[in-house]
Structures are given as C-alpha cells and as structure tokens.
Amino acid sequence: MSAFFKLLARNRLALAGLIVMGAVVLLALLTPLLPLANPDVTDLGNRFKPPLSEGALLGTDHLGRDLLSRLMWGTRLSLAVGFAAAIIAATLGAAIGIIAGFYGGRTDNVIMRGVDMLMAFPYILLALAIVAALGPGLLNALIAVAAVNIPFFARNIRGITVGIAHKEFVDAARLCGMTDTRIIVGEVLPNVIPVIVIAMSTTVGWMILETAGLSFLGLGSQPPQADLGSMLGEARSALITNPHTSIVPGAMILVIVMAINLLGDGVRDALDPRLKSGALSRPMPTTRVERGAVPAPKRNALLSVQGLETQFHVKNRIYRAVGGVDLTVEPGECLGLIGESGSGKSVTALSIMGLVASPPGVITGGAVYYKGEDLIGAPYEQLRSLRGRRVAYIFQDPLATLHPLYTVGDQLIEAIRAHHPTPRAEARARAIELLKSVRIPNADQRIDSYPHEMSGGMRQRVGIAMALANDPEVIIADEPTTALDVTVQAQILSLLDDLRRDRGLAIIFITHDFGVVAQLCDRVAVMYAGRIVEEGPTKAILNRPAHPYTAKLMACVPELGQGRRELAAIPGLPPVVDALPQGCAFADRCHKVQDECRIGDIGLRDLPTGTRVRCIAPETTVSEAAL
Amino acid sequence: MTTALAITDLTKDFPVGKRLFGPPRGVVHAVRPVTLDVAEGETLGIVGESGCGKSTLARMLVGLLPPTAGTIKINGQPLDNADPALFGRKIQYVFQDPISSLNPRKTIRQIMEAPLRHLHNMPAADRARRINQIFAAVNLREEFLDRYPHEFSGGQAQRIGIARALAADARIVILDEPVSALDVSVQAQVLNLLADLKGQFGLTYLFISHDLAVVEAVSDRVAVLYFGSVVEVGPATAVFSQPRHPYTKLLAESAPVVGRPLAAPEGRETELPDPLNPPTGCAFRERCSKASAICAQIAPVMTEVADGVSVACHHPLTGPA
Ligand SMILES: Nc1ncnc2c1ncn2[C@@H]1O[C@H](COP(=O)(O)OP(=O)(O)OP(=O)(O)O)[C@@H](O)[C@H]1O
Ligand code: SF4
Ligand code: SF4
Ligand SMILES: [Mg+2]
C-alpha cells in the first residue's frame, strides 16, 4: 500500500490531481458547515450581480440566488451523484463480469451477448431512453448513468476473471473444500479489486460529466435544486449578457474532471504491474554498452566471447547476470552451455548479438569477436545485418518468434528476403527447400499453414528453418528442446547434429540436461551464478567432473536405467546475483569449502585433462586426472 | 496389500467447437477407458507425451473434472459425484506450477488454513498446531507463514504446495509433474522430501511426469499412456529396461542418456494422431514398425504378458530391449 502511494506521488500530474481533488472533496464535505447563503432563496431585486459584489462573492444568477453557495452545494451534489453512479456501476458490472468469467460456458455466453447488445447503443442515447422511461429527476439520472456504464465494467472484469478462474490456485481452493461462493469472494475478488479500482478511477470523471449532461438537458436535478449541470443549463440563456453565471459552474466541472482523470491515470499506472516493471519505456535497438578496456582477440576463432559482463540495473540494484564469461566455437563444433535457471545462460547468449533489453540491461565489459571483429558496441546497422545472416538464434518457445497471423511460408520468405532481395517465387522455392531440410513432411503444403496449426515439434523445426534461412555460420540455440517431448526432442537433436556435420555450422547449445550435452556437444561449459565454473571436452567433464558443483549437479539428475533410488541433492539455493558473496559463489553449498574459498576471486585453472576449472580444491587432483 | 485407488473404465470426452444451441461440432476422447489399480503405499508412475491425457486423468481423480463414464473407488468406496470437497479429504493434488497454485494475495498461513478449516472444520488453536507440525515435516520455517507467495523460490513454493496437500490429511496424493518447473538441484531435494513424507504419513502416490528417468527413480510401478489409453503397465524396474509395447520402447530409446550415441529412433516425420479424426485399430500403428493388418482393424486391449506386466498390443515385444 505504501509502495502504491510512493509510485503515485512520483507522478507529478497525478499528485496535483490528488491535491486538487482532495481540496474539492473537502470543501464539498464542509459545505453544510460553512456560513453560506441559502442556495435556493430567490431575490429578484439582485439578479445577475457580478462577481466580487457586496454579499455575493461570485455574484448571483438570473433569480438573484447566491452563486458561491449554489456552486458549493451543486458541486457537493454532482460529486455525490457521480461517485454513487460509479460505485453502483462498478459493483453491478463487476458482479456480472465475475459471474460470467468464473462460470464460463453458457452462463458467460448469455450474459455477455446481453452486455454486447447494451454496448451497441450510443450511451448518451441509452441514458436518455432510460430517463425518458423513468421520468426526469436526479435519482433517475443517477440510475441511467450507472446503467450505461455497467457494460464497460462487466467486460473488463470478465476478461480478468477468466484468466484468474483458470489459475491453479482456484483449483487448489476447490480441493480445500471451498464452495464456489467462497472461492469467488475469497480467491477471485482480491485479485480483481485492483482492476475495479483502476476502471473506476478512470471513469468516475466521465460519470460526473454524464450526470451534468443530463441535468443540463433538464432531465437530472430539478429546480430549485442546484447541481453543476443544471446551473449550466439555467445560465445558458444569459451566456452572452452575463457570462459569469456559466463560467463559474463550467470552470468547476473542468477542474473536477481534469483532476479526477489525472489522478485516475496515476492510479492506473501505479497499480498496473506491467507499467511498474518499465515495460512501456521504449527499449533501445541494441543493448547499452558501458565498458572500460576492451580485451584483445586472443586467437582466431569463428566466434569468441571474452570476459563478457552483462548487468541489469533495476532501481538502485545491480544484478550481475553475467560476470566475465569466456567462450569460443569453431565451425562444425557444438558447445554446450549448461547451468541452472538464473545462472546467466540466456543473458550470455543474448548479449552476443546485443539482444538484451536495455533498459535495464547493460554490457559492462568484455568483447565478442566474430571473425576478429568486435560485435559489442557495434552500430545497430551492422548488428542487424549480421543477425540471422551470420549468427542466428533458436529459442525455447518457437511461438515467441513466429507471428501467429502469418503463414510459416510468408515468414520464411520474409526472413530470406530481408537479407537477400530475391524474387518472391524463388524465395518460396527456397522456403520449401528449407522446410524439407528440417524434415517437415509435405513441405509444399505445410508452407501455407499457420503456426497454431502445427504441433510443438513441427513449430520448432520451422524455428530451425528460420534460423537456417540465410545460411548462418553460428547458431545459438537456447533450450530449443526443453518444451518438447522426448521422442520429438530426439528428432530435433539428431537434425541439429546432421546440420552441423553437413554444413559446418557452429552451435552454442544452451540446456540444463546432461544427457543432451553428452549426446550432442563436443565441449561443455558449466555456468553458476553468472560465471563459467568448469569448461572442457564433454567426455572429460562427464567422466570426471572436476568442480564440486558439476559433480553434485550430475549426481542430482536421475538417469534412465538406474532404477528406484534416493537422489543426491545439493542443499540450499544458488546465490542471488545482486548480492554475490566474496570468493567462490558456490561456497555456501559446497561440501569441500575452506576458508580460502571465501577470500578472493578464484580464476579458471587448467587441468591436465584439458578442462579448466574455477575451484581451489577440484574433485580430481592433478595426479588423479593424469590417470 | 489392499487397493487404495481403483479406477475402472474412466473416460473423458471433450466436446469441441461448442455452439450456443445444438450439439458440438466434434468430440475429443481425451481419456479413453482407463482401468488401473493402485495399492496402498505404492507409487504408481504415469508417463506419456504432452497431450496424451495425463492431466485430464489426474483432474478427474480429484474431482476437478466430472468423468464422462467409469468409476473411481477409494478404499473400496465409490466416489461418483464430482465434488472436490468430498474428494479433498481422501485424495489430494500437487500442481505442476508451484507459484501459480498459490493465491498471490494470501499469506501462506491463510493458504494452509483453507483445507483445515473447510475440509475438517478444525478450531483455530488446533489449526495452528497442525500447520506447525506439517511445516516441520516439509522442512519449512514457521516464519514463512506470514509471507506472500511471490517471496518464495520455486522449490520453496512447491514445498508449500505439498504442505497444503498434506494438511487435507488425504492418504492418496496425485503429483502432477511436481518437479518439472524446478531446477535439477532443487528437483532432487523435493523428490527426496516426497519419499520421506510417503514413509512418514503412509501415503500412496500417483506420480505423473514426462521425464522417464524421474519416474523410474521414484515409482514402484509405471503406466505408459498413449493417446488417452494405457498401453503398458509394469514394475518400474522392467518397463523401460524391457519394454513390451513398441511405444514404450520408442520412449525409452528417445530419452537422452549419457554414454548413448545420438540417434533418432524413429523416422523424423511422425506426429501424434489427430484427436478429431482418430485412426481405427491401434492408435500407434502409423509409427509402429511391427504393425500388421489386424492392428488397423482391432484396437488392442490390455493383456497380462508376464508377471505384473500388462500391455495393449497385438504383437508385444519379447526379450530384453
Ligand atoms: N530483464 C531483466 N531484469 C532484471 N534481471 C534480469 C532480467 N533478465 C534476466 N535477469 C536476471 O539475470 C540472471 C540470469 O538470467 P538468465 O535468463 O540468463 O538465466 P538462465 O541461465 O538462462 O536461466 P533459465 O534456465 O531459467 O533460462 C537472473 O538472475 C535473472 O533474474
Ligand atoms: S572453491 Fe572452495 S567452495 Fe568453491 S567449489 Fe571449490 S572447494 Fe567448493
Ligand atoms: S497393436 Fe500393432 S500397431 Fe499397435 S503397437 Fe502393437 S504392433 Fe504396433
Ligand atoms: Mg534461459
């Protein structure tokens, strides 16, 4: 709650709105206590007195009534009616929306068709019709304004409720013996209330205006009772001769609606989690780079990452997602990058082509040499031309890269033509060829399918075809098979293996599965807390893991064919990368930890097995490793 | 050994393309008649690929989905109306996604109290005592009780999910991919905890997973599901090392294993059958190398082929794989 107010207060306009609205509401509440003239007493002798006259600060109207007093009482009434309408509309609308969204199916269908019908009318017409049917009067105007706003709330809330009703915690509540009513009140409602508040804060201003509109037309408050709309209506005939009678209520309406809308937008922004995380701040085309000295290229590899450091700057915290990573790949080679969630595998991969979102991402050190050319900090144009053409990505979720509204063929053709202007027919032939090369059956027909018409395995094959579209030399595959079934995974892995052998592709394959690494990768790098802790030929590492973390991690993973057993677990959790400990990041979970482990930075050291390890007491000693 | 859970011909059809009036456009047989027995104290593993009906089966078993046909008996008593409150005391569920199974706006204490209050009408003092007991059993600190779900890691949240299932005091727990969302190092912690709790509280588990190695490591028996049907049931030690059904063999050979060369064990073009347009006879026949004429005509039924091993296939495999 206090976080909410802080966020709200950060928004200057919303704060101004809050202050103005607070003052108006306070005055409206205090009106009966203030020494004001009776707003309804006519005094025809004192008609149209100008503002600042004796005894009438804002002047008088066409019946000689005190305008200040009428303004105060009118504001009070207009606010009350507007808020009442908003509360009624929100309550009924939310109730309808929650019921429709929670029960779904036929209930939902019937309710929402009804709501659609109401929404099909222009709302002012609908309000007029309601008042016409009920007869003029402030109460009826209130009912009409509330009624025309119910559909808006019902739709919004239904949408949110559908999402919540399918969450697992609702099922869990059922299994805890809670009835539907209890679930709606206890589980769904608390998650919907922020949305209701947002919807109310953005609409209450309109409702005040709508009520004023009806009163202006003489359908709302009846004489002599003052509200802002009826004051405007009565002043209409004297608009030219005595403008102050119109300006006074008009200015008040303007102030109220502006203040409420500014405040409402502020409330929405403060409550909306998407806006909170900065999703609206426009990302830069490439990752921001702020690095000091650039390491010189060490040797002539196809792609070599040197001392890469990538951080996320969120508020006043610094998350060191990647803390100095070195990697190389050669043509035809497959490098496995293995580690637990949050160890920085994806950020490493995305940093290579400057794809980490900025803000909050910043590359703070290191270099990425592609054929001797540094990609970090390269201009956007250059990176764009290399992306896809030389270095291509395959992501875990192919749906994230495929556009749902275009056929896979169109997207492949687009990818081909983005880098090489080709006639469409030729590009299409090439697309079919690509689909065949990733072994999509019936490629000539499948090319016209939409992504959602394909199975997960098929889509991932299309994802690979997209990556291959421009004959890249390096493919960075970020857990491309994690979401797939084992039988499909086996197909995709053998496909990738063939591709690198046939085309000499270099592959960086990110995974958390040792089985996959063992089958596909020539070399493997193990990541922990943003750094590589062990690196070397796959065989050597899998046979004799040298880093205690690698050894423990391998022991955790059950392997098929070993039967029922107790698994070795690693106690504790990986450290959070905004508060990395001194020395070895694994120290708190390591069974071999010594005092030295926690002192200074530990470098990667070469072992005779050809592996490199970041540990002062590796599992395999030099003599052991020589065996 | 007594039977804790007996499922007979449990079936679930989903209408697709529903219209406001009139019959739906088609029917998907998500679970075809499934018959399974689970003995008390046993862990039955259920494996199968995505879309084969694992979660639908599980949701019927806890009353979250009404079955189209078939019966569920717990300790011999039938449970035939889909009322989760009735089921909740006998059979509980641990969800795949630990975070989304906890209401973000409730404290852990409120979450833990729900089953005690609504299923057991327990007074406040007893509730507090019971929660403390359970938290001790799942190695969670009591100070966690006043925090909100987003403050926990996946592994901790899954422990809370398990604690909630324990609070209902059900003897049967369905674990629907309980560790798939967790990291390997945490996965082992949770699997070991589950094994401990099983002994401590005398539980019976149904362990659903797509990870064959995990299933093999925790189960006594394993049932293999394909396209809504059970195609093979047998002891965990035998199912993958000596598969009888061609599909089980395919699964076992597809799992990446350290030390086994990479090979796609089947042609790369195969896909699961279309649920709206299911094949006749054996659903696996288009992917099966042993398919014969009879496979296209008659759907195979479960038959016991060896001690404790049943398989639904006209030409079951023999001998070691
Ligand atoms: N947009 C972001 N803002 C702040 N922190 C981030 C952001 N993206 C990633 N991080 C942090 O960077 C660290 C490394 O994340 P990364 O995604 O590289 O992990 P990973 O090894 O790929 O994990 P997984 O196996 O879950 O994919 C994590 O601590 C993560 O929380
Ligand atoms: S450096 Fe020390 S704490 Fe770190 S892994 Fe090696 S032995 Fe363990
Ligand atoms: S029944 Fe026939 S097609 Fe089906 S798995 Fe057995 S051999 Fe193969
Ligand atoms: Mg990742």
Side-chain angles (χ1 to χ4, degrees):
Chain A
M1 211 56 197
S2 66
F4 164 74
F5 280 113
K6 255 189 223 141
L7 275 170
L8 191 62
R10 265 219 318 243
N11 181 338
R12 289 274 161 74
L13 287 174
L15 191 63
L18 180 67
I19 292 170
V20 172
M21 225 21 238
V24 172
V25 169
L26 190 71
L27 281 178
L29 289 176
L30 292 181
T31 301
L33 307 177
L34 297 180
L36 290 169
N38 186 328
D40 298 336
V41 172
T42 56
D43 176 5
L44 290 175
N46 280 324
R47 295 174 62 203
F48 292 130
K49 274 172 84 176
L52 303 178
S53 330
E54 174 72 38
L57 200 56
L58 291 179
T60 57
D61 68 358
H62 63 294
L63 297 177
R65 295 174 294 198
D66 180 40
L67 263 183
L68 177 64
S69 167
R70 280 184 78 73
L71 180 73
M72 299 289 279
W73 285 97
T75 303
R76 186 177 152 90
L77 195 61
S78 284
L79 283 183
V81 173
F83 280 116
I87 286 170
I88 294 172
T91 314
L92 291 178
I96 292 173
I98 288 178
I99 288 172
F102 185 78
Y103 287 100
R106 197 149 289 178
T107 319
D108 182 32
N109 242 322
V110 171
I111 293 182
M112 291 323 287
R113 289 305 82 78
V115 166
D116 285 346
M117 251 144 66
L118 276 182
M119 281 188 107
F121 287 100
Y123 67 75
I124 198 73
L125 218 64
L126 190 61
L128 286 176
I130 294 175
V131 179
L134 299 177
L138 199 54
L139 195 63
N140 293 343
L142 190 162
I143 292 172
V145 170
V148 297
N149 281 288
I150 286 176
F152 168 79
F153 282 94
R155 280 197 147 251
N156 263 317
I157 304 300
R158 174 193 170 268
I160 303 293
T161 310
V162 168
I164 292 169
H166 289 103
K167 284 263 165 70
E168 293 184 328
F169 67 76
V170 171
D171 285 339
R174 287 216 171 87
L175 290 172
C176 291
M178 290 169 73
T179 56
D180 280 354
T181 326
R182 275 223 170 91
I183 292 177
I184 288 178
V185 175
E187 308 281 328
V188 178
L189 193 61
N191 287 289
V192 175
I193 281 182
V195 185
I196 302 182
V197 172
I198 290 171
M200 257 174 78
S201 63
T202 46
T203 49
V204 65
W206 294 115
M207 294 201 216
I208 291 176
L209 266 188
E210 285 160 16
T211 326
L214 288 176
S215 293
F216 178 82
L217 296 176
L219 300 170
S221 79
Q222 299 300 309
Q225 195 177 35
D227 84 344
L228 294 174
S230 65
M231 283 174 74
L232 262 185
E234 288 162 0
R236 192 175 30 171
S237 48
L239 184 62
I240 307 293
T241 49
N242 290 291
H244 72 274
T245 49
S246 305
I247 288 173
V248 164
M252 185 51 109
I253 291 179
L254 185 75
V255 166
I256 291 179
V257 173
M258 284 257 294
I260 289 189
N261 284 349
L262 288 177
L263 177 62
D265 288 351
V267 168
R268 185 194 60 209
D269 292 357
L271 284 178
D272 191 327
R274 271 173 312 164
L275 300 177
K276 225 184 281 181
S277 61
L280 276 200
S281 57
R282 188 175 314 161
M284 314 209 303
T286 61
T287 311
R288 195 152 63 93
V289 178
E290 276 177 17
R291 58 178 175 173
V294 179
K298 265 198 215 113
R299 72 194 159 89
N300 240 349
L302 175 61
L303 184 78
S304 104
V305 176
Q306 288 180 7
L308 178 72
E309 288 178 28
T310 306
Q311 307 182 341
F312 291 99
H313 295 189
V314 182
K315 284 188 204 149
N316 41 23
R317 287 176 181 238
I318 295 178
Y319 295 85
R320 293 185 165 76
V322 179
V325 161
D326 301 297
L327 295 172
T328 51
V329 262
E330 301 292 349
E333 188 186 39
C334 179
L335 168 73
L337 192 56
I338 196 167
E340 294 181 80
S341 180
S343 58
K345 308 183 294 290
S346 300
V347 176
T348 304
L350 293 174
S351 302
I352 292 177
M353 283 309 237
L355 289 174
V356 177
S358 283
V362 190
I363 294 177
T364 51
V368 175
Y369 291 104
Y370 168 77
K371 292 188 172 163
E373 176 189 358
D374 190 5
L375 300 182
I376 301 286
Y380 171 66
E381 278 312 312
Q382 187 188 348
L383 282 178
R384 200 189 70 94
S385 107
L386 287 176
R387 282 177 193 168
R389 199 163 56 87
R390 292 285 164 251
V391 182
Y393 283 86
I394 306 171
F395 293 102
Q396 172 169 350
D397 178 11
L399 272 187
T401 27
L402 294 176
H403 195 291
L405 297 182
Y406 294 96
T407 64
V408 297
D410 284 344
Q411 300 186 50
L412 269 171
I413 293 170
E414 177 63 35
I416 294 168
R417 302 215 300 181
H419 290 294
H420 306 280
T422 349
R424 211 183 145 80
E426 208 174 295
R428 186 177 164 91
R430 169 113 178 85
I432 293 177
E433 203 181 298
L434 278 169
L435 289 179
K436 281 191 180 142
S437 74
V438 295
R439 303 197 178 84
I440 297 235
N442 285 335
D444 328 27
Q445 283 158 35
R446 283 288 181 173
I447 188 165
D448 295 315
S449 313
Y450 289 91
H452 69 91
E453 293 169 341
M454 305 184 125
S455 67
M458 288 269 208
R459 280 197 294 258
Q460 194 53 286
R461 272 181 257 190
V462 173
I464 296 177
M466 294 271 269
L468 293 175
N470 291 293
D471 269 320
E473 288 167 67
V474 184
I475 284 199
I476 300 175
D478 192 351
E479 311 222 20
T481 57
T482 305
L484 303 177
D485 288 317
V486 274
T487 57
V488 185
Q489 165 168 306
Q491 294 166 10
I492 303 265
L493 292 182
S494 74
L495 173 67
L496 282 173
D497 198 41
D498 290 353
L499 286 173
R500 73 166 168 129
R501 291 189 200 285
D502 300 348
R503 303 192 182 200
L505 270 177
I507 301 180
I508 298 182
F509 194 99
I510 299 178
T511 178
H512 58 257
D513 188 331
F514 279 104
V516 171
V517 163
Q519 292 190 325
L520 184 68
C521 303
D522 309 304
R523 281 187 306 120
V524 54
V526 183
M527 271 190 96
Y528 188 76
R531 304 185 88 178
I532 288 177
V533 295
E534 180 162 12
E535 192 255 87
T538 307
K539 265 225 183 82
I541 290 188
L542 292 187
N543 290 343
R544 284 178 166 278
H547 198 282
Y549 174 63
T550 319
K552 285 275 187 183
L553 193 63
M554 285 174 62
C556 282
V557 190
E559 216 178 280
L560 198 61
Q562 297 181 339
R564 200 190 152 129
R565 71 200 169 278
E566 176 98 350
L567 298 163
I570 309 180
L573 293 171
V576 192
V577 288
D578 69 332
L580 285 175
Q582 277 272 335
C584 177
F586 187 59
D588 285 341
R589 305 171 79 187
C590 183
H591 63 293
K592 299 175 81 173
V593 58
Q594 323 165 1
D595 288 343
E596 295 103 285
C597 299
R598 301 187 191 270
I599 297 172
D601 193 59
I602 298 167
L604 271 175
R605 293 193 296 164
D606 286 304
L607 291 183
T609 43
T611 66
R612 300 198 298 155
V613 61
R614 195 185 293 281
C615 173
I616 54 171
E619 299 276 317
T620 30
T621 61
V622 175
S623 55
E624 257 181 278
L627 291 176
Chain B
M1 249 208 291
T2 51
T3 308
L5 175 69
I7 313 167
T8 317
D9 290 332
L10 202 63
T11 312
K12 182 72 198 177
D13 297 339
F14 287 112
V16 288
K18 265 197 229 171
R19 291 176 274 194
L20 195 50
F21 304 103
R25 273 178 253 272
V27 173
V28 170
H29 305 285
V31 175
R32 286 141 192 278
V34 163
T35 300
L36 280 174
D37 283 346
V38 191
E40 209 173 285
E42 184 182 42
T43 298
L44 175 71
I46 298 184
V47 292
E49 294 180 90
S50 64
C52 74
K54 300 185 297 273
S55 291
T56 312
L57 178 64
R59 292 169 61 83
M60 284 195 283
L61 291 180
V62 289
L64 286 173
L65 263 185
T68 309
T71 57
I72 303 167
K73 279 187 184 169
I74 292 176
N75 295 324
Q77 283 174 304
L79 272 178
D80 38 24
N81 66 333
D83 176 6
L86 210 69
F87 280 71
R89 251 165 283 165
K90 307 190 173 223
I91 185 161
Q92 273 293 336
Y93 195 87
V94 174
F95 293 85
Q96 171 166 3
D97 182 347
I99 300 282
S100 93
S101 75
L102 304 175
N103 189 339
R105 299 202 172 256
K106 291 197 154 179
T107 62
I108 304 306
R109 186 186 302 280
Q110 287 172 315
I111 290 171
M112 287 296 297
E113 287 204 321
L116 299 175
R117 189 192 296 210
H118 301 298
L119 290 174
H120 296 286
N121 293 323
M122 209 180 258
D126 293 359
R127 288 204 296 262
R129 199 167 337 112
R130 178 102 178 105
I131 290 174
N132 290 349
Q133 265 173 12
I134 296 169
F135 257 49
V138 297
N139 302 326
L140 284 173
R141 286 200 293 269
E142 269 168 48
E143 71 226 39
F144 288 174
L145 282 170
D146 297 308
R147 299 203 195 156
Y148 286 89
H150 68 87
E151 296 172 52
F152 295 95
S153 70
Q156 289 169 329
Q158 196 56 294
R159 276 167 210 266
I160 295 169
I162 292 169
R164 172 173 58 193
L166 289 178
D169 207 19
R171 283 291 121 94
I172 307 176
V173 182
I174 312 239
L175 304 151
D176 189 357
E177 306 258 10
V179 294
S180 337
L182 307 180
D183 255 319
V184 276
S185 75
V186 181
Q187 172 177 317
Q189 295 171 5
V190 172
L191 289 176
N192 289 340
L193 170 71
L194 284 171
D196 274 0
L197 294 173
K198 187 178 154 187
Q200 203 175 331
F201 295 96
L203 303 174
T204 304
Y205 285 159
L206 240 76
F207 191 101
I208 299 176
S209 177
H210 67 275
D211 188 331
L212 309 190
V214 167
V215 165
E216 192 192 53
V218 303
S219 308
D220 299 304
R221 282 194 310 143
V222 173
V224 182
L225 233 62
Y226 183 73
F227 202 58
S229 312
V230 176
V231 295
E232 179 164 358
V233 183
T237 44
V239 164
F240 298 121
S241 58
Q242 203 183 329
R244 309 283 179 153
H245 195 283
Y247 174 63
T248 317
K249 180 159 184 268
L250 170 66
L251 272 185
E253 289 178 353
S254 301
V257 171
V258 177
R260 190 162 74 190
L262 183 63
E266 66 173 336
R268 289 157 176 145
E269 286 85 31
T270 49
E271 269 188 276
L272 286 173
D274 178 2
L276 275 176
N277 197 0
T280 56
C282 175
F284 189 59
R285 88 184 131 84
E286 279 172 18
R287 300 168 75 178
C288 182
S289 56
K290 299 191 75 186
S292 67
I294 186 178
C295 305
Q297 287 148 18
I298 301 170
V301 293
M302 289 291 278
T303 330
E304 180 147 357
V305 290
D307 200 22
V309 183
S310 300
V311 57
C313 175
H314 294 301
H315 313 291
L317 307 168
T318 48

